[in-house]
Amino acid sequence: MIKNLLNGRFYIGASNCVYQRILNHKSELNRGIGTNKALQKDWQEYGVDAFAFMTLEVCPKGLIKEKEDEWLRKAKVAESELAYNKSYRAYIY
């Protein structure tokens, strides 16, 4: 999860290699090319120090998509004003 510590907004994602995915997210956001436009906007507005990267769950590789979908549903991202995600569909990087 990427959490904006100032406004409470959050992004839920999953990866086979969390460390590398965090590096990729930070690199893209720092260069202004993050794929989530709302997250990118807030990153530029609030800066890197306003965000925390946290692991919600560790699971076997075969369950990653299922678990991400589960977390997206639990957070009700499609209805939440705080979610940067707007879909329950998981994307694995």
Side-chain angles (χ1 to χ4, degrees), residues 46-80:
Y46 298 109
V48 63
D49 293 334
F51 292 85
F53 288 76
M54 43 190 103
T55 300
L56 298 175
E57 184 172 359
V58 176
C59 66
K61 280 187 178 185
L63 295 177
I64 292 174
K65 184 183 181 320
E66 178 182 325
K67 290 296 186 176
E68 182 181 4
D69 286 343
E70 188 178 303
W71 279 102
L72 292 168
R73 281 191 307 277
K74 275 189 215 180
K76 298 181 181 184
V77 297
E79 299 88 28
S80 175

Side-chain angles (χ1 to χ4, degrees), residues 3-83:
K3 179 134 188 187
N4 184 321
L5 302 172
L6 299 179
N7 65 14
R9 294 194 74 187
F10 62 90
Y11 173 86
I12 295 174
S15 178
N16 292 316
C17 180
V18 175
Y19 178 74
Q20 186 60 51
R21 188 64 187 126
I22 289 171
L23 291 177
N24 289 346
H25 268 300
K26 285 182 177 181
S27 174
E28 291 170 2
L29 291 164
N30 285 332
R31 291 182 290 140
I33 60 169
T35 57
N36 185 296
K37 300 305 176 200
L39 176 57
Q40 180 66 60
K41 179 184 173 292
D42 280 0
W43 186 273
Q44 288 175 251
E45 181 176 339
Y46 298 109
V48 63
D49 293 334
F51 292 85
F53 288 76
M54 43 190 103
T55 300
L56 298 175
E57 184 172 359
V58 176
C59 66
K61 280 187 178 185
L63 295 177
I64 292 174
K65 184 183 181 320
E66 178 182 325
K67 290 296 186 176
E68 182 181 4
D69 286 343
E70 188 178 303
W71 279 102
L72 292 168
R73 281 191 307 277
K74 275 189 215 180
K76 298 181 181 184
V77 297
E79 299 88 28
S80 175
E81 292 181 16
L82 293 177

